[in-house]
Amino acid sequence: MFSPTSGSKTRVLIVDDSSFMRMAIRGILVKEPSIEVVGTASDGVEGVEKAIALKPDLITMDVEMPRMDGISALKQIMAKAPTKVLMVSTLTNEGAKATFEALDAGALDYIPKNVTDSSDAQNIFRDELLKKVREATRSRILRPASGLSMPRPGTLAAPPPRAAVKTSKIHSKKITHVGIGASTGGPVALQEVISRIPMNFPYGIVVAIHMPKAFTGPYADRLNAKCSITVKEAVDGEAIKPGTILIAPGGMHTQVVRGAGGLVVKTAPTSAYPQYVYIPSVDLMISSMAEATAGSMLGVVLTGMGNDGFKGMQLLKQKGGVTLVQDEATSTIYGMPKACVDGGVADEVLPLGQIGYEIGKFMG
C-alpha cells in the first residue's frame, strides 16, 4: 500500500507554498528515472485534497504554509489517506521544533532546506533530497499518527506487556556506560527508548544520531521535557555523568575519551575525520567509547539507513562489551541494525518497545 511495486516508479506529491521550492524540488526529482512527480500543491488544504485524490507513494511537505500549515496537513493525511511524508524543514530552532512535532505526528523523516543561491548549498539539498526519497521508498513501515505514549517526567516507565517481552540474556555482564546510535526513524525511536529509562539510572549515556547542527539542541531540549531522565546536547570537554544522556552535537563528530576525572566527550570538525561519511558518526562515537571504557559498556544501534555503527559494535564485542540492536519489524529502515546482525555483533535483537526497559534493567 505504501511502497511502489518492484520496478515501478515512486510517485511523489510536492506540497510547498513557494513556487521556487516547488520548481526546485520538481526539477530535481523529474531527472530521476525511478521517480514520477504526480502533482504539486501550494498549501496544506490542497495538499490534503491531492493526497487523497492522487494516492502518491510519498509526499514532500513544507512546514509553514498559508490556509493550513504542514503539520496540520500531515495529521489530516495520516488520518484520511496514510502516506509516507518527508518534511522540508528550515535550519532554525523553530524549524527543528516543528520538524520533531511532525515526526511525532507520523512523518517519516525530514529534509533540511537551505534556500541560499550558492551552488554548493543547492547541490547539498539535491543530494539530501534524493537520498531521503530513496530511503523512504525502501522503508518498511508507516508509523501510526497517534504518536508514542510517554511516561510523565519523574515517573518510572512500565515494562512492555508480558506477551511482548522476549527473554534477554545480556544482563549477566557489568557495564559502566551506554552508547546509542540511530539515523532514519531515530528521533522517534530514541524518544521511545529513553522514555523507559528511569531517572535514577546509574550510568552515563551518549547518543549519536544523524542530524544537522541546528537540530540537536532543540531535540535534546524536547527529550528532556518529555522523559524522566536528564537529556542535554553535549559540549566539548563535558564530563559524562550518571543518569544523564548527552546528545552528540550535529554538524561535527563526537568521541568519548578518558580524562583525569572520568570519561568526557570530545568534539571535532568533520574535516578531522574525512573517512566518516555519516555525521555525527556512530562508528566513531561507539569505537572511542569502547576504547575508553575497556569494553565495559552497552552499545545500542537503532533504526537507520546504511551501516554506521557496525564497526563500532564490532570493536565493542572484541573488547567484551554488550551489544543490542532494534529488530526489523519495528525499524523504519533496517539498515544499521541489519549490518550488526549480519556481521554477527548483536548480542540481542529486540523490538523498539522493549529496548529502553532492557537498558533500565542494568541497574540491578
Side-chain angles (χ1 to χ4, degrees), residues 100-111:
F100 298 130
E101 186 179 342
L103 293 174
D104 273 353
L108 182 71
D109 205 351
Y110 60 91
I111 308 155

Side-chain angles (χ1 to χ4, degrees), residues 134-182:
R134 292 188 192 106
E135 289 180 5
T137 302
R138 296 173 194 162
S139 65
R140 297 184 60 260
I141 63 171
L142 188 76
R143 290 185 295 100
S146 57
L148 298 165
S149 58
M150 305 293 294
R152 294 187 310 276
T155 65
L156 291 179
R162 182 173 297 276
V165 176
K166 289 177 56 180
T167 302
S168 178
K169 302 173 183 176
I170 61 177
H171 302 99
S172 59
K173 293 185 178 180
K174 296 294 183 183
I175 67 167
T176 58
H177 293 81
V178 179
I180 303 174

Side-chain angles (χ1 to χ4, degrees), residues 329-347:
T330 62
S331 292
T332 304
I333 302 266
Y334 192 51
M336 288 166 55
K338 184 177 188 295
C340 295
V341 172
D342 290 352
V345 299
D347 289 327

